[in-house]
Structures are given as structure tokens and as C-alpha cells.
Amino acid sequence: VFTGKANCPYYARAELLADYLQANLPDFRVHKITQHPDKWEQWLHDICEMNGWEHRGSPIIWRELLDRGGKGLLLGGVNDFLEYAQHYYGITSMMSSEEMLDIAEENLQEHIEIEKEEEEIKSLIKPLQIWITTASASICYQLIPLLANGEVFGMTTEISIHLLDTDQFKDILCGIVMEAEDMAFPLLHSISAHTEIDEAFIQADIIIVLDDVVLNHEVQSLENYIREVSEICQVYAPLIEKNAKSGVRVISSGKTFVNLKAMMIMTYGKSIKPENVIAVATSWESAAKAMLARKLSMNATGVKDVIVWGNITGCNYIDLSHAKLYGYDCAIWGPANFPRPLLNMIYDSEWIHSEFLSAQSSLSSRVCHCVGMLPAHAVATVLRYWYHGSPPGEIVSVGILTKGQFCVPEGIVFSMPVRFQNGNWEVMTELEINEATQEVLGRLAHELIQEKLIALKEIKEMHPYGAD
């Protein structure tokens, strides 16, 4: 192994002799490492400290028995190598000082060009910038491996993850950063912790909002909780407008006020594209599918097109009228892609209208008290669909800003069925809903309208002369 300063004439002399030996000896191999003159002293210090060597000057040359492993054997500098070559092979260098200087100059220019080329290649790598708020939450810990393993954005897309939280959680964030780095994900370009709010969302492509409020209605009123959510979004939205990329995608997740967070980010961030802000309902879909699969004694992956309507972390409605079963073992047989209407397969209608519907309270408890695996999977799934499209024909429920679809009033964030394709989503307005479902949607919309009115009232109280 030959290492030295790129402009060192003695390195040039040793290098030329080593090239000659490699060309003429069958088992002689050379590995060269050149360093810029400005970086040489530090590099030499580090390599010597690591190996327990003492050496000054350029070059430094050692042997490594690559087929046997073990510690490298230090030979020394140029004179030591010339003596080594003379002793073992009867060959020495007859290079003049002028030749040494010319080659050293060529080496330096080549090294500078290679470094420049490497920097240009690095500049072409533009990882997705992902910011996660309240990153000390358990969902974040579960989410990072899902984002970094390549399944969400693809095996050729590098990502940079930025963890944002308050200063009191700095140690937790640093611990997450160290553990993620130790896992050496090939697509994780970088991961960093941030506790300065002014640094938030710089160049963000994706923002995942995990902020929650701790609910205790015996201590605080609904208005106070809505005010707390509104204050959080009042801080985030201007920073998103100021620091994030213009096409940033914002995902609202968590256990409380998921719809409202999305709503208030759009309210405070007028320039944030409404179609780029969604609330995740996939946790409810997954939990409902699992409950139905247990009833039918089948795998939950075969349950499709369960719709979550309304307020994701409030009053919602699990709609089975479009749900289908695939691969269900029953008297009717068909190919793997043959669907069966779920309601036709569950003959116990009493279970549907009583136990399943009443069990939604326990379903709510399961979703809201999970340790992080389920919501992390939900966020990762929605991101994968957003970037690569959802399965053809399959229904996905997300909270979006309404425009009158399904007769739901405009201007609230309401969970409804969508499909993802070509990097966008569209509401599946072709789905037919019956009168009973329409009536339920009206009641759900009323709750979200009330939340919005309370939040807007808070805005007016905080900004009496600047509110719309």
C-alpha cells in the first residue's frame, strides 16, 4: 500500500517503481492512496494512530497480506522501499530529480481533477428531505426503518431524515440518530436531530406531523385542546412556507386531532398546496380489516376496500358496503383475483350491526393506544402509494380538504375514499353510497365543522385585526 501527498516527488518515485514491480511480478499487487497536501498531516496522524505506527513525512508504505488478514507491516518511507526492492528483487529506481518533480506535479493535477469529479457526482445525488415533528414519539422510532429500507420510495432513492423536537428530548433524538447510523441503511444518506425551531423544514420534500395533545376532558375543555393544536400549527405553517420546497407534501398522523392538524396547517399556510396535505386513516382501515378477518377466519390481506369516513381520530364511520374478500375459502370458488362482497359472506348481520359497530369503541382504543408499529406502517404505506400509486382499483381512505364530494360540505378535512396514481390522488367519486351512509356523513361533517369554527374563533381572538 502506497500513500502520500499528491505533489510529493518521493511518492512519485516509489509509485513508479511499484508500478514496474506489479507489471513484472505475478503476485505483486499495489494499492495507491493519494491525499491532497492540505489533508495529508491529519490523514497520516490518523493512520499511524490506528495502527500503532510512528512515521513522519511522505510517503508511508506498508504491506498487507490480503489473503491472510491481520495487521499491516510498516515498511517506512521511500528509502525503506527502495532498499526493500533492491534486497528482494534486485531492482532499484534510477529516476532523476527533475522527473520526480514532473510526475509529482502531474499527480497533484490528477488528484484535484478526481476530487472535483467526485464532488460533481455527489452534487447529483439529491436525497429526499424528510422532516418528522415530535420525533421522540414511539411511532418515529418504528417509522425510520420503514422509510430507509427502500420499500417506500424505491431502491434507488436516497433519503435524509431530520428529527425535530423540543430541547428536553434532545438525548432521545441523539440516541435515535446513533442507532439509525449503526444500522447502516444503504439508502439513508443522513439523519440528524434538531431542537431549534427556526431550523425546521429547511428544503423539506416531505413533512410528517406527529404532534399530539394529551386528552383529559376532566381537566381541560375541547376548546382548550383545539387551541393547543391551533398554536402548534400556527408555528409550523409559516416555517413550512418559508423553509420547505414549494411542492412539499405534508402528512398528518398521530392519535388526536389528525384532521384538524391538516386543516390548520392549510389555514395558517395559505401558499401550501391543499392537495399536498393529507391526514392518514390507514391505521383504522388495517385494524378494521384485521377484526373482520378474525371473524371470517382468513388472512387480513384478503380483505379490501374498507372505507373510513369522517374524523379519523374522532367520530368516524367504518363503511363495509364496498368491502371485498379475496382468497376466501367458501363454497364459491374462483381465481385469486375473484372478489366476493364481504357483506354477502358474513351471514351474521346481527354481528355487523351490533358487535362490529359497537366494537368500534374498542377498535378506537386499539388504534389510539398502539405503541407505534401500526401507525408507522400506515404512514409508510400512504407515502409508498403517493409516490408509486396504490394497487389498481383498490380503495384507500385519507383525510383531504373537501370540495363537495359525496355532498360533504366544502372546506373541511374529511376522510374519504381515494386512489393514488402518477404522484397524485383523486377522490373516487364514482362510488355509490346509500341514503343511510349519506345521513351518517352529514353527522360526521357537522362535528368537523364545529371543530373548524372553534379553531377559527381562536384565530380571531389571537389576531382580531388580521383574521379572514
Side-chain angles (χ1 to χ4, degrees):
V1 181
F2 290 77
T3 70
K5 289 189 290 186
N7 65 343
C8 174
Y10 300 106
Y11 173 77
R13 185 177 189 182
E15 177 191 30
L16 203 65
L17 178 56
D19 287 342
Y20 177 83
L21 292 173
Q22 180 170 247
N24 290 277
L25 296 173
D27 298 319
F28 190 94
R29 298 287 178 270
V30 178
H31 178 63
K32 305 173 188 176
I33 304 172
T34 58
Q35 292 291 333
H36 193 280
D38 296 342
K39 301 177 182 178
W40 169 252
E41 292 298 333
Q42 185 61 49
W43 189 90
L44 179 62
H45 173 271
D46 293 342
I47 198 73
C48 288
E49 187 176 81
M50 183 175 67
N51 290 281
W53 296 334
E54 289 189 13
H55 184 84
R56 294 184 178 85
S58 170
I60 178 173
I61 304 165
W62 68 88
R63 290 182 62 197
E64 286 186 0
L65 302 177
L66 299 180
D67 57 339
R68 301 182 189 178
K71 185 179 177 182
L73 174 65
L74 179 65
L75 297 182
V78 63
N79 292 331
D80 300 295
F81 176 64
L82 293 176
E83 184 179 329
Y84 173 88
Q86 178 68 44
H87 177 74
Y88 280 94
Y89 309 114
I91 297 174
T92 191
S93 172
M94 303 302 294
M95 186 184 295
S96 67
S97 298
E98 186 175 347
E99 290 176 312
M100 290 165 58
L101 291 170
D102 288 342
I103 293 175
E105 181 62 27
E106 289 177 8
N107 281 345
L108 178 60
Q109 291 304 315
E110 182 182 8
H111 181 79
I112 291 172
E113 289 176 7
I114 290 172
E115 280 193 331
K116 183 179 179 181
E117 184 177 334
E118 289 176 349
E119 287 299 320
E120 288 176 352
I121 292 173
K122 287 181 181 178
S123 69
L124 295 175
I125 300 174
K126 296 182 179 180
L128 280 175
Q129 303 293 327
I130 303 172
W131 284 78
I132 305 176
T133 71
T134 312
S136 61
S138 58
I139 175 179
C140 177
Y141 188 81
Q142 305 284 349
L143 180 59
I144 289 172
L146 300 179
L147 298 177
N149 66 12
E151 293 183 10
V152 174
F153 303 107
M155 299 305 296
T156 58
T157 302
E158 293 192 1
I159 64 172
S160 289
I161 297 177
H162 306 268
L163 309 178
L164 178 67
D165 214 319
T166 57
D167 193 59
Q168 71 181 100
F169 296 106
K170 185 175 182 179
D171 290 344
I172 294 176
L173 299 188
C174 291
I176 295 173
V177 168
M178 290 176 62
E179 193 165 348
E181 289 174 340
D182 290 345
M183 293 180 76
F185 293 105
L187 296 174
L188 184 58
H189 185 269
S190 64
I191 181 168
S192 55
H194 303 265
T195 57
E196 296 294 331
I197 192 63
D198 291 340
E199 298 176 358
F201 315 131
I202 292 176
Q203 290 299 299
D205 294 290
I206 298 166
I207 298 171
I208 303 169
V209 181
L210 301 181
D211 298 69
D212 274 318
V213 295
V214 180
L215 297 179
N216 185 345
H217 292 292
E218 294 181 0
V219 177
Q220 291 195 61
S221 64
L222 175 64
E223 288 77 8
N224 287 335
Y225 290 124
I226 290 177
R227 181 186 295 114
E228 192 174 337
V229 173
S230 182
E231 288 173 353
I232 292 169
C233 298
Q234 187 183 15
V235 173
Y236 286 165
L239 288 170
I240 294 172
E241 290 183 299
K242 176 184 175 184
N243 295 337
K245 293 179 182 176
S246 60
V248 63
R249 298 177 179 183
V250 182
I251 288 184
S252 174
S253 183
K255 300 177 181 179
T256 58
F257 296 104
V258 170
N259 296 54
L260 184 63
K261 284 186 292 186
M263 178 77 249
M264 298 314 296
I265 286 172
M266 287 183 273
T267 301
Y268 284 117
K270 297 294 186 183
S271 67
I272 301 172
K273 299 175 182 177
E275 64 271 20
N276 282 1
V277 183
I278 63 175
V280 176
T282 318
S283 297
W284 287 87
E285 278 187 12
S286 299
K289 289 173 182 178
M291 186 174 179
L292 293 163
R294 285 193 293 271
K295 173 66 176 177
L296 293 164
S297 301
M298 65 176 293
N299 193 310
T301 57
V303 183
K304 306 291 185 183
D305 299 344
V306 173
I307 302 174
V308 180
W309 296 96
N311 193 350
I312 297 167
T313 49
C315 290
N316 57 46
Y317 172 56
I318 309 297
D319 182 4
L320 304 182
S321 61
H322 298 276
K324 302 178 185 67
L325 303 179
Y326 293 84
Y328 180 52
D329 187 9
C330 67
I332 303 173
W333 286 81
N337 61 349
F338 176 67
R340 300 170 180 83
L342 181 142
L343 292 177
N344 290 355
M345 296 296 106
I346 298 182
Y347 300 105
D348 186 357
S349 58
E350 180 65 25
W351 183 87
I352 290 290
H353 293 100
S354 59
E355 189 173 337
F356 179 76
L357 293 176
S358 64
Q360 288 187 35
S361 59
S362 63
L363 193 63
S364 172
S365 179
R366 289 173 66 89
V367 172
C368 294
H369 293 88
C370 59
V371 295
M373 192 182 303
L374 178 60
H377 179 264
V379 171
T381 299
V382 168
L383 275 172
R384 184 172 72 251
Y385 290 167
W386 210 344
Y387 276 81
H388 300 291
S390 51
E394 192 168 319
I395 295 172
V396 183
S397 302
V398 295
I400 54 97
L401 186 66
T402 56
K403 296 182 178 179
Q405 304 96 331
F406 302 108
C407 297
V408 175
E410 292 187 34
I412 56 174
V413 172
F414 194 92
S415 180
M416 57 179 61
V418 306
R419 66 170 65 89
F420 289 91
Q421 57 186 14
N422 302 322
N424 300 302
W425 54 261
E426 62 178 0
V427 178
M428 301 176 70
T429 52
E430 70 274 15
L431 294 179
E432 295 183 1
I433 59 174
N434 56 38
E435 289 185 14
T437 300
Q438 190 67 66
E439 186 179 338
V440 172
L441 300 191
R443 293 198 301 268
L444 298 177
H446 178 74
E447 180 193 53
L448 286 167
I449 291 170
Q450 292 306 306
E451 280 191 2
K452 178 181 177 180
L453 291 174
I454 293 171
L456 293 176
K457 179 183 176 183
E458 298 298 331
I459 294 174
K460 285 187 176 182
E461 288 179 356
M462 290 185 287
H463 306 283
Y465 303 107
D468 291 337

